[in-house]
Every structure is written in C-alpha cells, then in structure tokens.
Amino acid sequence: MRTLVQDFRFGLRMLVRNPGLAAVAMLALALGIGANTAIFSVVNSVLLRPLPYPEPNRLISVYYNTRDFSYSSVSYPNLLDWRRENHSFSNLAGYRGDDVILTGAGQPEHLSCEYVTAAFFSVLGVTPRLGRDFLAQEDQKGSGGAVILRYGFWQRHFGGDPRILGKALTLNGRSFAVVGVLPSDFRFRHFADVYIPISQWSSVELEERENHPGLYCVGRLKAGVTMAAAKAEMSSIASELGKLYPKSNAGRGITLVVMKDDVVGGIRNTLLLLLGAVACVLIIACANVANLLLARSAARKREFAIRAALGAGRKRVVRQLLTESVLLGLGGGALGVLLAYWGTRLVLAAMPDTLPRSEEIGIDGHVLLFTLGISILTGVLFGLAPAFKGARMSLQESLREGARGSGGGRHRVEGAFVVVEMALAVILLVGAGLLMQSIWRLWRVDTGFTTSHLLTAEVALSPTVMSSASSVRMAFRQMLARVSGIPGVRSAAITSLIPLGDSDSEIGFWPGTGPQPPEDQVHETLNFIVTPDYLQVMGIPLLKGRFITEQDTTASPTVAVVDEVFAQHYFPNQDPLGKQFSLMVLGPVQIVGVVGHVKHWGLDADDTAKIREEMYFPFTQIPDKFMSEIQVGAKLMVRTGPEPLSVVSAVRTQVAGPTDDQPIYSVRTMEQIISGSLAERRFTMLLLIIFASTALALAGVGIYGVMSYAVSRRTHELGVRFALGASRQTVLGLVLGEGMMLAGSGTILGLLGALALTRFMASLLYGVRPADPWTLMAVSLLLGAIAFVSCCVPAWRAARVDPMVALRYE
C-alpha cells in the first residue's frame, strides 16, 4: 500500500507538471465517459431497473392474439371468465385509459383517467398512501361512484389536503367520492390523474363479448407457477371460450409477456444502439489519450532509463504508468459526471414523449458506480500500451538517445490507434447518415391528405346535453357551426380518429347481409366515424360516388364510404358502389363512395400494416344507445387559412359555447402530429449526429497528433533527406501520403464494419438500405477531407525543416 500511495503521489506530481497534457487527456475522456454515463442513465432506468412493484417479475401482461394482432385488447366478459377459470394467477385485473372532465369547481378541466377493476392495485401490490383501495362492491354496476387520486393531481389541485377523503368530485357529470390517494412514487404505463372502477364506465361496449374497447389485462403469477404452465392453462381456457362463444372468440389465442418486457420492449433496440454508439466514442477518446501518453513516454525515455539504472524493475515502471493513466481516467470521469448531468437533461428534453419510464431517468448510485468503474477501466485500457512500451525500453539505447536528442523510428502502435479511431468514426457517421436520409424521405411521403393548415383537438360536451341522443347530435352540430364561423377557419368536422395519431379503432365486418359468422371468419377494417365536412377538411380525394351528407340519418338506410384499399381488396375488378356488407353490432351497410387511402398507421408502417382497409361511417347514423359514449374525446378537425395555432383561442371560446363548460384539450397541428410520429427516429438521429461529430473531431485531432509527433521525431531524418537533395514537395507528399494511408486504412475498415453493423438499424430506416452506396461514398469523402486537413499542418511543418538545424542534433 505504501508503494501504491507513492505511485499515486508521483503520478499527481507528473500531471501537475504537465497541465496541458492532463487537460487535453481529461477533456477527451470526459466527452467519452460523460456520453456513456448519460446514455447508461437512460438504459439503467428504462431497461435494467425493475418495475417499482413488489416481485415485479411475477407481473404478467395478458393479451388476446388474433389473425391480425399479437397483442389485442380483451372484452370485459372474457376477462371475468379468465379470472374465474384460471389457477395460475393469484388474480387478474383490467385497465382502460380514457378522459374525463372535472366540473363544479370553476372552469371545466380535462383529466386523464384509468378505468380499472377493483383488484388492480392489489395485483400490482400497491397500497394507497391515504385512504383505502377500491372495494369489490364498488366495481359493480349501479353502485355509488368511487375515485382514487394520483399523488401529483392531489397536490396540484387540492394542495395535498389530507381531508380530501370523502369529498365528491363531479366527473363527466357524475359524482364520485374520493376514497384514496396513491403513493408519490406510484408509476404505471399511463399518467392518469384519477382511477375509477371500470363498472362505473357508462358504456354498452363493456357488456358485450364481441367488443374490445381498449381494455387490457395484467395478472400476478402465483409463486412457483412458470410462464409455460400459465400460457398452457390460459390457452386452454381461450380454446374453451372459443367453443362456447364462436361468434366472438373463435380462433383467438393468448399472449403472455412479462410486464417489464411489455413496457420497454419497443425501445430496447434503440437504446442498445445508442449505448453501442457512445462506447465507440469512448474507445476513440481512449485511443487519442493512449497516443498522447505514447508520445509522452517516448519523451520520458531518459527518465525510465535512470529509474531502471537505480534498480526499478519493469513491473514497477508499468505500475507507475498505469497509475498515472488511472488518475487521468478518474479525472476524466469526474468531469464526465458533470457533462452527463447536463447531457441527461438535454437527452430528456429531446426524448420522444412515448419513451417508457422517462420520469425515472436520472443519475443515481448505480450510474455513479458505472462511471467509477468505466473511469478505472478506461484508465487501464489506454494506459497499457504506453506502460508496456515504457517498460520495454533498452537502458543503453535510451541513455544514448537521451544524450543526442530525439530519434526516428516507426510508430506502428500510434498508427494502429488512428486506424481504429477512423474506423469507428466511419461507423457512427454511416449510421447518422442513414437516419438522416430516412427522415428526409419520410417527410416527403404522401399521407393521402393535406397536412398544412390543419388544427386538431379533442373536445368534451357539457353534461347538460347528455339527456338524449338527439341533444348530443344537436350540440355537435351547433359546435361545428360556431367554429366554422370563426374568421380564418375554412371548415370544421368531427371524427373518432386522427390519422397518424396515437389511437386506432377497428370494427369487424363480413360480406353481404347474412348472419354473423364465427370470429375467425370476420374481417376487420379501420373505422372513422365522421361528420359530412370531414372530406373537405382533410383534403382527401373522392374517387367514386359521394361522401356522407346531412341526409344520412338514423331514419335513412345505413351507408358507408370505403377507401381504395378496401375496394381493391374486397371487390377486385368490380364496382364497389352499391355493394353491401355487415358491421358487427351495427348491421348491414351500403357503400356509397370510394375515397383515397390515408396513411393512418405511420408514414413508414402503413404499407406493411395488417389492417390497412379504411371505412368512414356517418356520425349522424350512430345508434342512440352509443351516443352517450362520445361525451368526451371526440376529435375536432379545423382547416384554417392562417397559421393554425393563431385561431386556438377563438376555437376554444366557440367550443365552450354559451354554457362555457365544453373544454378542448390535446391541441396540436397536423405538422406536430407528424413530427411526433418521427420522434424516436429523430431522437436517435440527433444523438448519433452528436456522437459521430464528436468521434470525427477526435479522429481528426488524433491523426493530427500522430503526424505532428512523427514529424517531430523524424527531424533528423528529414534533414538528411533535404541534405541529399529531396525537394519540399517530395517531403510534403511523403508526410501527406503516410497520413492519408492511415486514414484510408481506417476508412476501409470502418466501411466493412458499417456494412456488418448497420443491419441492426434496419427497423429504423425507411427508403434506404443499410448498405446505401451514396451514404458510404459521402462518409468516405468527408473522412478523407478531414484527414487531409489534419495532415496538412504537420506536412507543411515537415516541408519547412531547416537541414542545418536538423543535422545539428547529431
């Protein structure tokens, strides 16, 4: 330990005596370690940290799987059957996200809501911070309303008042008594302000087995039950239900997935890609610092020789040099933590809103331990080559060279580091270039409608108009008339779905007007419930027939408009106008028009979606029994002349109406929605560009440093060349050629690595192959230009060597 302390003290003195070298080395390492720490903090929180529930690995997401979807929502009657028949789970719970409007306390306020079964919180293992959990009788239709509040909503809206229990909240016009407040650290998949027993959801869809109203299921496995056994039992139950209820359940299987994998599975590959990218940046930084220390160790030949002459063994020299490099690593790590704190904030600001568990991201003890470990590891890694080179120096040769000055010689190790730096920079630049091309191509995709000057919002009706279906229809009609009259508004419409948004709605159908066949023979189509002006508002082309009109009412024959994909799929080489098909629950409809296809599933994913067919159903023909379900969450689409956000205030006023209790929320332009659909790609591209730029700069500095060092070490050789008649152009070409040879070798190696590794990015690319020749060519030219500029200064300095001064070293 005494010797180790001596090594650390001597290492600190050496760093203090060489502040320039120490500063440059620590800054390079801080960039690499800081980037790794920032990305690891995201990976740790999202992928590695367990979910914040007791025994989280026993929490299982349970889905139906169908012909078209592996992860399908379930019907409430099926959920009840699963819970009653299974023996693998201690309990099963259901949940469904929705919106509610809080009234009775000033202006109406939109709240996010989670309708849950009574066992929901007990399945998760969560106990309310204040009050109690739901009682079983509160999850029965007709029982008194109960609500549990999220901690943040309780603090924001009620100031954390502990007397909140028992108080009544008016949600969607109904009274709910507060029975509990959740813990401050409670997190679930959705940020709901309030939780309500699902039986209090006033929807006829909840009662019908054929309907799958966005209800999802989570269960807790019993101790000792394996996933395989649970899947086998649940599949058997699903098979029996398929026999009992063929119309709704035939052909449906079961998908079980550990809840954590279900939550983070979609982002896993992207985060691992970014972690690999920052690892490349760190390796480049290590190679740079290793070259700095190699140059420094060459200048310390005489010191090492004297130490050896005084009895120091090679192991002691290696340990001393490794100690110095570890000190540099720890210094870079300390700076890296500061950069990571700042960088993590930037990453969180740039992250897509859909990133799971983003609220848990931060620099904690695990991240700091990771930073400490990576600091020591990098210190050892970049210190190995200089340490062993210093230990292998010949005593007599070092003393002789120390007497006469610097000597020549090849520098294969330094050159190898430069090749590695260039290769890794190529890989990062290729990845960033491919993503840039993908996003550029996606922005040019035809969406099927006019995206500019289009405002979207969700609206809620006043509870006072919910007394009858006719009053609901009248309220929407009057709302659209007021909004359409706003100066600058060209047209307005109501729809159930926003294209490229974050929701979807399918409805089952079958050809003709016969009885409903078994579930596995029923087709599905995207279902847009719209008002007559929707086509005009969206700018969707009408290809055949007519669109929905005000004359399509519940008193007239039921009609539908389909898109061209629907027509081509189900009526190939036929005129679809006048054809009939039957909708589940709604009955027979007749096709009266064909419109262009809209890319609802995403700019890149729509072409490969399993359900692409689209149907437009008249809002005016919704059966009376379903009208109460659109009190909250109908989508308002507004086509404007001026910039869309400029009319938001006027739209808000006109939607509120004379009663001033009809709010709008989730206000976005269509450009914002499209931008949001590209958020994950743009986030990945942005970080890759930052990492690639850092790698490019470090690689440029690396090749400059190696060539400068090589020129300084070859001063004598260059003097001899000039004395023997070499021209300045010859020496200039010699140095440039050696530098470009290193850059070329690194570029070739990097291109081969990019061809192998960018295949893992295929899911993030659109319209461009991982081996895109234009991207590879552009990156090669860029690296070549950077390398040429980096080599020019050392080459120019070599060409200006004075032979008399150079030979005087002898």
Side-chain angles (χ1 to χ4, degrees), residues 322-625:
L322 284 178
T323 301
E324 293 177 18
S325 64
V326 167
L327 285 172
L328 283 174
L330 291 174
L335 289 175
V337 170
L338 297 177
L339 290 177
Y341 176 77
W342 174 71
T344 302
R345 297 171 68 91
L346 289 180
V347 168
L348 288 173
M351 275 180 178
D353 294 336
T354 54
L355 182 76
R357 310 183 71 184
S358 59
E359 72 285 350
E360 301 177 39
I361 295 172
I363 297 178
D364 58 11
H366 292 93
V367 175
L368 293 177
L369 283 175
F370 168 82
T371 305
L372 176 63
I374 202 173
S375 300
I376 295 174
L377 179 63
T378 54
V380 172
L381 288 178
F382 70 71
L384 283 175
F388 284 116
K389 184 173 182 179
R392 288 199 307 267
M393 290 180 180
S394 169
L395 173 60
Q396 294 182 354
E397 181 182 347
S398 298
L399 290 174
R400 185 169 62 251
E401 288 189 4
R404 70 187 177 116
S406 38
R410 298 182 178 275
H411 307 279
R412 294 187 180 88
V413 177
E414 294 93 324
F417 284 143
V418 168
V419 169
V420 170
E421 290 182 51
M422 298 297 287
L424 294 176
V426 166
I427 292 173
L428 292 178
L429 283 169
V430 168
L434 291 173
L435 280 177
M436 289 174 65
Q437 279 206 66
S438 295
I439 291 179
W440 179 76
R441 291 173 187 270
L442 283 168
W443 274 112
R444 296 167 61 88
V445 167
D446 180 14
T447 60
F449 61 94
T450 306
T451 59
S452 61
H453 296 276
L454 187 57
L455 183 71
T456 74
E458 296 189 45
V459 299
L461 293 181
S462 168
T464 61
V465 305
M466 301 307 296
S467 57
S468 67
S470 60
S471 62
V472 171
R473 293 190 180 93
M474 179 60 70
F476 275 115
R477 189 177 297 111
Q478 292 173 345
M479 178 193 297
L480 289 177
R482 293 194 302 269
V483 172
S484 298
I486 296 173
V489 171
R490 294 179 176 175
S491 54
I494 294 292
T495 178
S496 59
L497 288 178
I498 298 176
L500 301 173
D502 52 6
S503 62
D504 61 275
S505 177
E506 296 82 31
I507 188 169
F509 74 95
W510 59 96
T513 59
Q516 179 179 335
E519 170 69 15
D520 53 359
Q521 298 177 32
V522 173
H523 310 287
E524 286 190 316
T525 179
L526 277 168
N527 181 30
F528 291 78
I529 301 173
V530 298
T531 54
D533 286 338
Y534 181 77
L535 205 68
Q536 177 187 352
V537 172
M538 297 298 292
I540 300 171
L542 178 65
L543 304 181
K544 284 184 178 182
R546 67 172 178 87
F547 197 63
I548 294 159
T549 68
E550 292 288 353
Q551 285 68 47
D552 296 315
T553 67
T554 53
S556 63
T558 309
V559 300
V561 174
V562 299
D563 77 327
E564 54 189 320
V565 175
F566 188 109
Q568 292 167 4
H569 188 178
Y570 294 106
F571 304 102
N573 303 318
Q574 302 177 54
D575 184 358
L577 298 182
K579 301 289 186 182
Q580 289 186 309
F581 60 91
S582 297
L583 294 173
M584 193 174 289
V585 180
L586 297 176
V589 298
Q590 185 179 52
I591 298 175
V592 296
V594 179
V595 298
H597 177 72
V598 170
K599 289 187 177 295
H600 177 78
W601 295 106
L603 298 176
D604 60 336
D606 191 85
D607 292 341
T608 57
K610 291 186 176 180
I611 298 178
R612 300 185 65 230
E613 298 78 16
E614 297 166 350
M615 181 197 75
Y616 297 85
F617 188 84
F619 178 87
T620 50
Q621 291 191 326
I622 297 175
D624 290 354
K625 65 178 181 178

Side-chain angles (χ1 to χ4, degrees), residues 8 33 86 110 286 315 324 355 486 492 539 629 666 777 795:
F8 269 96
I33 294 174
N86 93 89
H110 159 255
C286 287
K315 290 184 179 179
E324 293 177 18
L355 182 76
I486 296 173
E629 296 178 20
S666 300
M777 185 184 303

Side-chain angles (χ1 to χ4, degrees), residues 5-23 25-26 293 295-304 307 317 319-325 327-328:
V5 171
Q6 290 175 354
D7 289 341
F8 269 96
R9 287 177 177 173
F10 184 76
L12 286 172
R13 288 200 300 271
M14 292 300 297
L15 296 181
V16 171
R17 287 172 56 186
N18 296 274
L21 180 143
M26 287 184 184
L293 295 186
R296 178 62 185 158
S297 66
R300 294 170 66 184
K301 282 184 178 181
R302 186 173 179 80
E303 173 199 332
F304 296 144
R307 288 165 66 92
V317 173
R319 189 172 64 187
Q320 175 61 53
L321 290 175
L322 284 178
T323 301
E324 293 177 18
S325 64
L327 285 172
L328 283 174

Side-chain angles (χ1 to χ4, degrees), residues 715 718-719 722 728 797-808:
T715 302
L718 295 174
F722 280 125
R728 295 188 184 278
R797 196 162 56 222
R800 294 179 61 85
V801 167
D802 187 337
M804 295 302 296
V805 174
L807 293 175
R808 194 174 300 146

